[in-house]
Amino acid sequence: MPIYAIEGFIPVIKANSYIHPSAEIIGDVIIDEHCFIGPNAVLRGDFGRIHVHHHSNIQDSCVLHSFPNKDTILHPYSHIGHGAVLHGCTIEENALVGINAVILDEAIIGAESIVAACSFVAAKFTCAPRSMVKGIPAKVSKTLTEQEVNWKTSGTAEYVKLTQRAIETMRVVEPLSEIQPDRPSYQASTHVFKS
């Protein structure tokens, strides 16, 4: 995996986190324990600090960055969906940012909140804990139910498991030319939320 220092800022990656080899980690980036950083994610700490707290996941093709002297903070159990862009914002504990959502500078996403896929969260936006945030520009549409928060929490737990699965078993291989007989499929323990 490409890990870069810039002007003496060396990334910190704590034990038991998985960083995919195609992810790029640059400069003032701190990744705590039990985090998953997916393929092609870019965490670019060349202006402000990026701190990913424990048990968080940043999925494929996400970009995290900020303006000079501003930080991007992901509190524990943050869940950042594929292709999301986070710029100088704060994601509070156990919140989810949906696929292709954009969160801009000084926005604060409250604990146990969900930002819907493809939402655009403007600079300096804030929301209370357990908010459903959606739209362009994003607004709070409702307060999340216990069932919805549990769904989010269980999905993040699967990524915590994926971190360990990747550490233990992911490797470069040559592809098979045929499908194996009785090929298994992964059975996640996450239950599906239905609104």
Side-chain angles (χ1 to χ4, degrees), residues 71-131:
D71 296 339
T72 301
I73 308 294
L74 279 62
H75 286 274
Y77 300 95
S78 289
H79 189 113
I80 312 303
H82 314 288
V85 177
L86 278 61
H87 201 274
C89 59
T90 299
I91 309 301
E92 296 289 355
E93 186 164 346
N94 201 33
L96 180 149
V97 175
I99 294 169
N100 283 328
V102 175
I103 317 287
L104 290 184
D105 302 275
E106 299 181 34
I108 301 172
I109 303 302
E112 298 184 327
S113 291
I114 295 176
V115 177
C118 297
S119 293
F120 178 84
V121 177
K124 299 188 179 183
F125 173 93
T126 62
C127 66
R130 293 193 168 199
S131 294

Side-chain angles (χ1 to χ4, degrees), residues 4-168:
Y4 300 96
I6 184 168
E7 295 175 343
F9 289 103
I10 301 171
V12 175
I13 301 172
K14 296 188 179 178
N16 299 313
S17 282
Y18 176 79
I19 315 298
H20 190 274
S22 66
E24 296 198 26
I25 312 298
I26 302 166
D28 192 5
V29 176
I30 300 166
I31 300 171
D32 286 346
E33 299 86 356
H34 307 290
C35 292
F36 176 88
I37 311 298
N40 298 311
V42 176
L43 284 69
R44 186 159 64 90
D46 49 9
F47 291 143
R49 175 170 294 162
I50 297 169
H51 192 159
V52 181
H53 287 266
H54 66 86
H55 295 89
S56 293
N57 68 82
I58 299 169
Q59 297 170 21
D60 319 53
S61 301
C62 291
V63 175
L64 279 68
H65 190 242
S66 53
F67 285 126
N69 304 312
K70 301 290 182 181
D71 296 339
T72 301
I73 308 294
L74 279 62
H75 286 274
Y77 300 95
S78 289
H79 189 113
I80 312 303
H82 314 288
V85 177
L86 278 61
H87 201 274
C89 59
T90 299
I91 309 301
E92 296 289 355
E93 186 164 346
N94 201 33
L96 180 149
V97 175
I99 294 169
N100 283 328
V102 175
I103 317 287
L104 290 184
D105 302 275
E106 299 181 34
I108 301 172
I109 303 302
E112 298 184 327
S113 291
I114 295 176
V115 177
C118 297
S119 293
F120 178 84
V121 177
K124 299 188 179 183
F125 173 93
T126 62
C127 66
R130 293 193 168 199
S131 294
M132 171 59 80
V133 178
K134 62 183 179 178
I136 302 173
K139 296 179 180 169
V140 175
S141 65
K142 68 175 193 167
T143 300
L144 295 173
T145 65
E146 192 71 26
Q147 180 187 19
E148 290 165 322
V149 172
N150 289 341
W151 169 80
K152 183 274 164 206
T153 301
S154 65
T156 301
E158 288 298 330
Y159 269 89
V160 172
K161 292 177 193 171
L162 178 59
T163 300
Q164 196 58 40
R165 291 172 54 216
I167 288 169
E168 292 174 0

